[in-house]
Every structure is written in structure tokens, then in C-alpha cells.
Amino acid sequence: MKLDDVIHTPDFAADPFPVYRELQDCDPVQWSAIWNCWVVTRYDDVRTCLQDAKRFSNVGRITGLFHRHFDAGQLAELKPLIDHYSHGLINIDPPGHTRIRRLLHEVFRPSTIGRYRDFVQAFVNEQMAKILPTGKLTVVRDLAHPLPVHVIARLFGVPVADVPLFTAWSAGIVAFMQTPVPKMETCLRSQQALLDLRAYLRRGIIERQTTPSDDVLSLMVHARSEGDALTEDEILGTAVTILLGGHETTTRLLTTTLLELSRHPEQQQKLRQNPDLMETAVEEFLRFAGPFHRDQRVASCDTEVGGKHVKKGDFILMMLAAANRDPRQFSEPDKLDLTRTPNRHVAFGFGPHICLGAPLARLEMGIAVGSILEVTKSFRVVSQAVEWKFGFLRGPCELELELEIST
Ligand code: HEM
């Protein structure tokens, strides 16, 4: 089985899991000429790559794309974009990365994230109140897209009036990542969106230096550990990663979860009748419907993965969603089981770069799914013909649900 033969087919986007299984069984570390990298599908191999930052580096995971596809003149034009992706949390390795994570540990305490519970609940209630009289939920438009962006804006103390700006920047910055080979015009547009967002956030940072508040941006400005502090560049890098890492991921997870609950009405009813299952259910949604399919590293030396020789500088795609369905790790991996324990999925990654926003994503998911179940007797998809968006992240472009409202 050659992944390259199916990569661009609609069947693969609609259901990549049979392909992942065949790769796991027959060629678990396969070279893709289309993606120009190694594709790793087995759970153990994926965890090894995520964990071993000495051999599998985050340095160059994005900038390498530019260096491989553009000439010197183009690289000069893209300098601000390349500079941004050369620094900051997600683009560096330990020990520099460990230092930043230590400082952020103070900021992303469970108690800090817990403070956003009421905001998330109020936002979901407000959105549901608007759509309930219609009996229909257009999931991405009404809830899954606006919820995370409003939450992140709130983390940064951004006024509601500026949320559309945030939404546009978020979409603009990630645009160049949507195709395996980036296009120069798209990169330039992404660069402009990035520069605008950084300028906006920089004004917020300067304000908080003199007038601290209790938002996450302010906590980052004032975070201290053993006399150390985050630089302005590190705060900007982290803030951009939070916007990019916390927005579309949550949109895609919530949408795919609601699709799967429609496809599994018995599991939907089970959760409706046992709201206490929500904690294990959210972990199972992450495993079964996790949005992050492809995560990337660069080999920092000649090495080996799953028996294949990998050269220094080779790109490695760790297929997180494939690992989460590996029968070597999970019994009945293609079964949605909301009571599954243990559930050591890698939907949030693993090792040094494990998702910083995982507690917030879990909070948003629990509240959003719980609230929909509470106000409905059941819900189902209007049409099973789903169009899938499938880049690094995967999820339905849109999803129409018909709701039977509780009386
Ligand atoms: C369903 C939602 C989410 C999923 C599936 C997800 C997934 C991930 C994954 C797989 C990584 C590791 C990337 C790597 O190792 O290369 C990651 C990192 C990260 N995520 Fe998330 N994420 C989600 C939500 C969030 C939210 C809500 C935030 C913040 C509010 C966030 C902030 C971050 C940050 C800052 C990193 C970088 C951590 C580091 O490099 O040390 N994520 N996320």
C-alpha cells in the first residue's frame, strides 16, 4: 500500500483509518514523495518521536518548509515569517524549551484555567439560546468556531469588538500550512496577518507592564521563576501558538465529536443518561475523533525509526490520529467507547511539547457537549454527506444538526 496513491482522494479524507491500519500492519514508517517526509503510524514509534527531542527536533519543523521550497530572494522577503517560526515555545528544543515551559507552568495552572469555566458556560448558553427556537445547530458557524476564539480572546483580555480581527488573523496565519508545498503569495499573506497580530499583542504587553490585570497575557508578562522572566519575543511566540494551537483544533474536535455522537446514538443516549461519564468521554472523543492528524519533527542525526534508516534533516510526520487507533495499544480501537480506561491517547502529543492548553480544551469540550445534551432529547445529522477539511488537522467543514429539544 502506497500512501501517495490515496493522499488526494476524497475517500481518504472521509475515512483515513483503514489506510492507517494497513500502513501500521505493512509499512509503519513509509516514505511519502508527495509530503516529502517519513510517515509514522504505529503508537510506539509516534510516542518515541514525540518523546525523544534529542533525535527528533522541533527546530526547523516549519522553517524547513520555506528553505526546501523557496530561493534566496524569496527567503529574504519572508524573513519576518521565518524569524517568527525560528523562535518560541513550539519551535525550539530543551533546554531552552524547558526554561519557557517552567515559566508558563505558573501561568497555566489548573486554578487559572478554572477561572474561565463561567465564561465558557455563559458563552455556550448564549449561543444555544439563539439557535434553540430554530431546532437546528449549524455546528461550526454557531458554536465550534466562535467558542474557542472568544475564549482565547478572553485569555488575552481582548475586547469582544476585536474578536473578528483575531479570527481573521488566525485563519490568515495558518493559510500557508494548508498545502504540502507552500505557495509564495499565501506565505506573504500569512506573514502580513502574523505581523498585524504581533503588533496588536505587543501593544497589550506594553499596557500590562505598567497596569497588570488577571488575564493570561498579563500573567505571562509578570511570570517569574528563579529570577528569570519571559522576553517580549517569547510572550509573542507563545501567544501566537495559543491562538493557532487552541482555535481550529477545538473547532475540529467539537464538530467531529458531534458527528460521531450522531453516528453512535446509543453512546449519545448513554452520556445523556450518565453525565458523570463526561470526563472519560472527552478522552475518548480525543482518541477517536482527535483533530491533529499530522505532527512534525526533523531528524537531528542519522537515526532509525521502526527499523527504517532516517537521515539527518529528514522530515518525520507523526500520525497522531493513526497512533490513537493502533490495535497494539487500544483494544477494539475503532469502537467509540465512552467508558474506556485507561486511555493513553496522544491527541495532545506527548513528551516535552505536550499541549499546554489541554486543560482548557477539556473544559470547553465538557461544557459544550454537556450543554447540548442537556437541552436536547436527541440530535442527528441532517445529511451524512460530510465535506472534510484535511490538512494537519481534520474535521468536517460544516455540520448541520437537527435537534429534538427537551421540554
Ligand atoms: C482539542 C484541542 C487541542 C488539541 C487536539 C491540541 C493538540 C496539541 C498537540 C498535539 C500539541 C503538541 C505539538 C507538538 O508536539 O508538536 C499541542 C501543543 C500546544 N498546544 Fe494544543 N491542542 C488543543 C488545544 C489547545 C488550546 C486550547 C491551547 C491554548 C489555549 C493550546 C496550546 C498549545 C500550545 C501553547 C502548545 C505548544 C506546547 C509546547 O511546544 O511546549 N492547545 N497541542
Side-chain angles (χ1 to χ4, degrees), residues 315-374:
F315 273 58
I316 294 157
L317 274 192
M318 303 159 298
M319 307 302 277
L320 305 186
N324 285 337
R325 300 277 191 110
D326 186 347
R328 290 155 197 80
Q329 173 65 21
F330 300 100
S331 65
E332 297 190 83
D334 295 323
K335 182 175 165 196
L336 179 72
D337 172 5
L338 304 185
T339 59
R340 189 183 289 272
T341 43
N343 190 346
R344 284 190 270 276
H345 63 75
V346 287
F348 286 128
F350 180 68
H353 290 275
I354 194 162
C355 180
L356 190 68
L360 185 60
R362 289 181 167 118
L363 180 83
E364 290 178 54
M365 281 297 295
I367 291 177
V369 175
S371 303
I372 294 170
L373 292 176
E374 214 176 288

Side-chain angles (χ1 to χ4, degrees), residues 268-269 272 372-379 403-407:
Q268 189 189 127
Q269 281 314 111
R272 203 181 289 286
I372 294 170
L373 292 176
E374 214 176 288
V375 296
T376 56
K377 273 198 226 154
S378 70
F379 58 79
L403 313 176
E404 194 189 345
I405 313 293
S406 312
T407 41

Side-chain angles (χ1 to χ4, degrees), residues 50 58 61 88-92 97 101 104 108 113 148 152 155 238 241-243 245-251 253-254 286 290-292 295-297 318 320 346-350 352-358 360-362 364-365 393:
L50 287 166
N58 275 40
R61 68 202 279 275
L89 194 61
I90 190 100
N91 304 306
I92 60 171
H97 172 264
R101 278 295 286 232
L104 289 171
F108 280 81
I113 298 310
I152 293 166
L155 290 188
T238 305
T241 307
I242 288 174
L243 177 60
H247 182 197
E248 201 182 328
T249 45
T250 313
T251 304
L253 176 63
L254 182 53
L286 282 155
F292 221 124
D295 196 2
Q296 198 152 299
R297 294 288 185 271
M318 303 159 298
L320 305 186
V346 287
F348 286 128
F350 180 68
H353 290 275
I354 194 162
C355 180
L356 190 68
L360 185 60
R362 289 181 167 118
E364 290 178 54
M365 281 297 295
L393 305 178

Side-chain angles (χ1 to χ4, degrees), residues 66 74-87 188 191-192 194-195 198:
F66 307 127
Q74 291 171 313
L75 291 175
E77 259 192 279
L78 293 175
K79 187 170 181 312
L81 192 62
I82 295 172
D83 278 354
H84 175 86
Y85 282 106
S86 304
H87 303 103
L188 286 170
Q191 175 163 279
Q192 193 51 56
L194 178 69
L195 289 172
R198 284 179 66 109

Side-chain angles (χ1 to χ4, degrees), residues 70-376:
F70 295 131
D71 61 30
Q74 291 171 313
L75 291 175
E77 259 192 279
L78 293 175
K79 187 170 181 312
L81 192 62
I82 295 172
D83 278 354
H84 175 86
Y85 282 106
S86 304
H87 303 103
L89 194 61
I90 190 100
N91 304 306
I92 60 171
D93 297 327
H97 172 264
T98 319
R99 192 198 125 245
I100 301 182
R101 278 295 286 232
R102 193 180 312 121
L103 283 152
L104 289 171
H105 183 70
E106 294 302 304
V107 177
F108 280 81
R109 287 169 182 279
S111 56
T112 314
I113 298 310
R115 289 211 307 262
Y116 293 88
R117 174 176 290 281
D118 290 348
F119 175 79
V120 174
Q121 185 68 69
F123 187 86
V124 172
N125 290 350
E126 201 180 307
Q127 295 301 102
M128 291 306 290
K130 282 189 223 160
I131 62 95
L132 276 184
T134 69
K136 285 207 163 55
L137 176 62
T138 306
V139 176
V140 174
R141 185 196 68 193
D142 296 338
L143 189 62
H145 185 269
L147 172 65
V149 78
H150 276 80
V151 172
I152 293 166
R154 181 82 172 193
L155 290 188
F156 295 160
V158 165
V160 174
D162 288 351
V163 169
L165 281 174
F166 252 58
T167 310
W169 287 327
S170 169
I173 296 169
V174 296
F176 77 92
M177 298 181 198
Q178 302 305 321
T179 49
V181 178
K183 297 191 178 75
M184 187 62 188
E185 335 63 276
T186 319
C187 289
L188 286 170
R189 280 204 302 278
S190 293
Q191 175 163 279
Q192 193 51 56
L194 178 69
L195 289 172
D196 292 345
L197 172 61
R198 284 179 66 109
Y200 181 96
L201 290 170
R202 190 174 286 119
R203 288 195 291 278
I205 291 172
I206 293 167
E207 232 172 79
R208 281 156 183 79
Q209 276 161 349
T210 48
T211 321
S213 72
D214 64 352
D215 61 44
V216 160
L217 196 58
S218 188
L219 295 177
M220 285 201 271
V221 169
H222 297 281
R224 296 291 178 272
S225 168
E226 298 163 18
D228 194 10
L230 294 166
T231 64
E232 182 189 86
D233 209 46
E234 287 164 351
I235 297 172
L236 286 172
T238 305
V240 173
T241 307
I242 288 174
L243 177 60
L244 304 187
H247 182 197
E248 201 182 328
T249 45
T250 313
T251 304
R252 302 284 152 226
L253 176 63
L254 182 53
T255 313
T256 314
T257 293
L258 293 173
L259 172 67
E260 293 302 346
L261 283 177
S262 302
R263 287 176 170 172
H264 298 82
E266 76 302 337
Q267 293 290 312
Q268 189 189 127
Q269 281 314 111
K270 190 171 179 174
L271 188 54
R272 203 181 289 286
Q273 283 154 13
N274 305 282
D276 291 352
L277 285 182
M278 189 55 84
E279 212 172 297
T280 53
V282 168
E283 297 314 306
E284 181 68 344
F285 299 145
L286 282 155
R287 184 194 72 81
F288 192 82
F292 221 124
H293 277 236
R294 313 186 332 228
D295 196 2
Q296 198 152 299
R297 294 288 185 271
V298 183
S300 49
C301 53
D302 284 1
T303 185
E304 170 274 330
V305 184
K308 287 271 169 77
H309 179 68
V310 168
K311 288 202 300 297
K312 180 177 176 177
D314 281 355
F315 273 58
I316 294 157
L317 274 192
M318 303 159 298
M319 307 302 277
L320 305 186
N324 285 337
R325 300 277 191 110
D326 186 347
R328 290 155 197 80
Q329 173 65 21
F330 300 100
S331 65
E332 297 190 83
D334 295 323
K335 182 175 165 196
L336 179 72
D337 172 5
L338 304 185
T339 59
R340 189 183 289 272
T341 43
N343 190 346
R344 284 190 270 276
H345 63 75
V346 287
F348 286 128
F350 180 68
H353 290 275
I354 194 162
C355 180
L356 190 68
L360 185 60
R362 289 181 167 118
L363 180 83
E364 290 178 54
M365 281 297 295
I367 291 177
V369 175
S371 303
I372 294 170
L373 292 176
E374 214 176 288
V375 296
T376 56

